[in-house]
Amino acid sequence: MSPIDLRDAPHNNGESDLEDAMKYLTILIASFLLISHASADVLDVPGEYLTIQSAIQAAVDGDTIAIATGSYPEFGIDPSGLAITIEGATNIDGSPAVTIDGQQADAVLICQSGEDTSTIFRNLVITNGDSNTGGGLFLSNGSSPRFENCGIEGNSSARGGGVYCINNCNPHFQDCWFDSNQADIDGGGFYSLLNCDPVLVNCTFTNNQVSSSQFAFGGGMYNRDNSNPQLTNCLFRNNQAISPFSSGGAIANTESSPMLIDCVLESNTTGGAGGGMSNTGASCQPVLTGCLILGNSSTNGGGLSFSLDATGQVTDCEVSTNTATNGGGLFSVSGGNPSVSGTLLCGNSPDQVNGDWTDQGSNEILESCPDCPGDATGDGYVDVNDVLYVISAWDTPDPNADFDNDGLVDADDVLILLSHYGETCD
């Protein structure tokens, strides 16, 4: 398109001059909009480009790489700082229909050029990656892309089996899952190091593991050296840090302060401290609000452990049915001193609390937990509010509504609720 020069417009006197100028200005703006719109393109894989990386090399900012259903044997995929969307096809149920298989050759995805959330990965299963750091994803140098509806499964590394995040990276994960990843030393599912603050919303960590014979940290996630992730409505289940000197079956924090809101840490194990979460160091000050920590196991601190001056805040949580040699529910040693308020500690073995803690009030400490099937809201009544809660949690693993503890809120849980409808809990 040839440039438009307002100096070429006809010149008339008075209002006609203004009208002509406005007309040419309108044409100019419309032309710019058309040019801008035309600059964004969709690059099809494998229709136009045989590999995802070759499509990236042909892309410019604003483009979308659309990947057809299938499995793609690629590794080391690097968006090189481009603000693009890499999007896989989906199945009828919305699950990813595209798998990127790293063939155990390297990290599957690498972001190291300062990408931000305008670099988007969507509807992908990232699997079978293997590297020293970050089997599935390696993020460094402030790179902070966005991941939506992605599965990071079956990857392995020395550190960060699923994800390795280092040096000021703040990636965003929405509706993602981390399953069966393994690290030799730290962070089976996710490892954040040196000022990384990832954001995770509606994510699950299941069956991830660290397995060193000496020291191992964070079966599900390890946060170290001022790395402070924000997790909302996330689930950690059946993660393991299995060596005798390990910490954090679900999550381990060293000099880091994650924030957890409405999260569940369930049935995680470690040979050392913190079956649900371990916290170490004076600048380790995690905040847990509305969380459920249950059925975890360890040697010290079945649910939560705090050591070496770690503090933190536990508010409106439930810490229940955890087991340990020392401190079934909450264990505090060597200057650890968490603040606890509005929290139920019950049914932990051999005890509810072992060590120093600050009671900020409205806590309930019971040897056994109240039995109230059908009471999803926890208000002591089985009523219409519980029905509404179960509907809102349908087809999720929400433990408040999963009355039969089979890992899914479904019709069986509705039947349990209805059988107790109208009851008042003791």
Side-chain angles (χ1 to χ4, degrees):
M1 180 178 292
S2 301
I4 299 173
D5 193 339
L6 291 179
R7 292 174 299 179
D8 295 332
H11 294 277
N12 300 309
N13 293 327
E15 293 183 0
S16 59
D17 248 357
L18 179 60
E19 290 174 356
D20 287 337
M22 292 300 294
K23 178 179 70 173
Y24 278 91
L25 182 60
T26 301
I27 293 171
L28 184 63
I29 292 172
S31 300
F32 280 134
L33 290 174
L34 286 172
I35 293 170
S36 174
H37 179 73
S39 66
D41 201 358
V42 176
L43 289 70
D44 292 320
V45 176
E48 296 178 272
Y49 300 90
L50 291 180
T51 66
I52 299 167
Q53 189 63 52
S54 64
I56 291 172
Q57 291 168 350
V60 298
D61 286 347
D63 284 352
T64 295
I65 295 173
I67 310 171
T69 298
S71 181
Y72 296 80
E74 294 190 52
F75 56 87
I77 295 172
D78 188 344
S80 301
L82 291 172
I84 57 176
T85 297
I86 300 173
E87 182 171 10
T90 60
N91 298 307
I92 294 175
D93 63 359
S95 62
V98 170
T99 298
I100 307 176
D101 185 341
Q103 304 176 91
Q104 299 186 2
D106 199 350
V108 181
L109 299 180
I110 297 173
C111 292
Q112 54 190 351
S113 303
E115 292 86 354
D116 60 23
T117 53
S118 60
T119 301
I120 300 171
F121 298 89
R122 182 183 293 139
N123 307 332
L124 304 170
V125 174
I126 299 159
T127 190
N128 208 21
D130 189 358
S131 73
N132 190 53
T133 50
L137 315 176
F138 175 83
L139 309 174
S140 66
N141 300 325
S143 296
S144 305
R146 180 177 176 87
F147 296 84
E148 301 174 359
N149 193 35
C150 288
I152 295 87
E153 306 176 357
N155 302 285
S156 58
S157 70
R159 291 179 169 87
V163 179
Y164 185 88
C165 216
I166 186 171
N167 290 331
N168 305 296
C169 295
N170 307 312
H172 191 116
F173 293 83
Q174 175 81 41
D175 300 314
C176 294
W177 58 98
F178 306 79
D179 182 69
S180 300
N181 302 288
Q182 181 166 335
D184 295 332
I185 305 172
D186 300 323
F190 204 117
Y191 185 23
S192 295
L193 173 66
L194 294 173
N195 308 303
C196 288
D197 300 335
V199 176
L200 298 97
V201 180
N202 298 334
C203 293
T204 62
F205 288 75
T206 52
N207 307 309
N208 302 288
Q209 185 181 93
V210 286
S211 56
S212 169
S213 61
Q214 295 295 318
F215 297 94
F217 297 89
M221 171 180 280
Y222 183 35
N223 306 302
R224 179 180 171 187
D225 297 340
N226 195 38
S227 291
N228 309 310
Q230 299 178 40
L231 299 96
T232 303
N233 196 33
C234 292
L235 169 69
F236 289 74
R237 177 179 286 152
N238 295 331
N239 302 286
Q240 294 182 308
I242 59 177
S243 77
F245 304 104
S246 59
S247 295
I251 303 174
N253 306 307
T254 301
E255 304 291 359
S256 295
S257 303
M259 176 180 291
L260 279 69
I261 300 173
D262 298 332
C263 292
V264 177
L265 313 182
E266 180 183 11
S267 301
N268 306 282
T269 61
T270 180
M277 177 188 286
S278 68
N279 302 286
T280 306
S283 60
C284 183
Q285 302 173 4
V287 175
L288 291 80
T289 304
C291 294
L292 182 60
I293 299 97
L294 79 160
N296 305 287
S297 61
S298 71
T299 300
N300 298 309
L304 304 171
S305 72
F306 297 81
S307 64
L308 298 178
D309 302 316
T311 56
Q313 179 70 53
V314 181
T315 303
D316 298 331
C317 295
E318 178 181 323
V319 183
S320 61
T321 64
N322 302 285
T323 60
T325 303
N326 304 296
L330 188 153
F331 180 75
S332 178
V333 68
S334 300
N337 193 342
S339 296
V340 184
S341 63
T343 291
L344 171 66
L345 295 104
C346 65
N348 301 290
S349 177
D351 45 20
Q352 312 310 313
V353 181
N354 186 323
D356 294 332
W357 64 294
T358 300
D359 185 349
Q360 293 190 324
S362 301
N363 296 300
E364 191 172 9
I365 301 178
L366 304 172
E367 289 303 310
S368 60
C369 296
D371 183 17
C372 194
D375 180 22
T377 61
D379 63 358
Y381 303 93
V382 182
D383 56 17
V384 67
N385 292 323
D386 301 297
V387 175
L388 295 174
Y389 188 103
V390 169
I391 292 172
S392 70
W394 191 262
D395 205 28
T396 75
D398 188 331
N400 296 314
D402 180 21
F403 303 124
D404 59 2
N405 296 314
D406 67 351
L408 189 68
V409 179
D410 55 18
D412 292 334
D413 301 297
V414 172
L415 294 176
I416 292 173
L417 187 156
L418 293 177
S419 69
H420 294 277
Y421 194 86
E423 293 181 0
T424 301
C425 303
D426 295 332

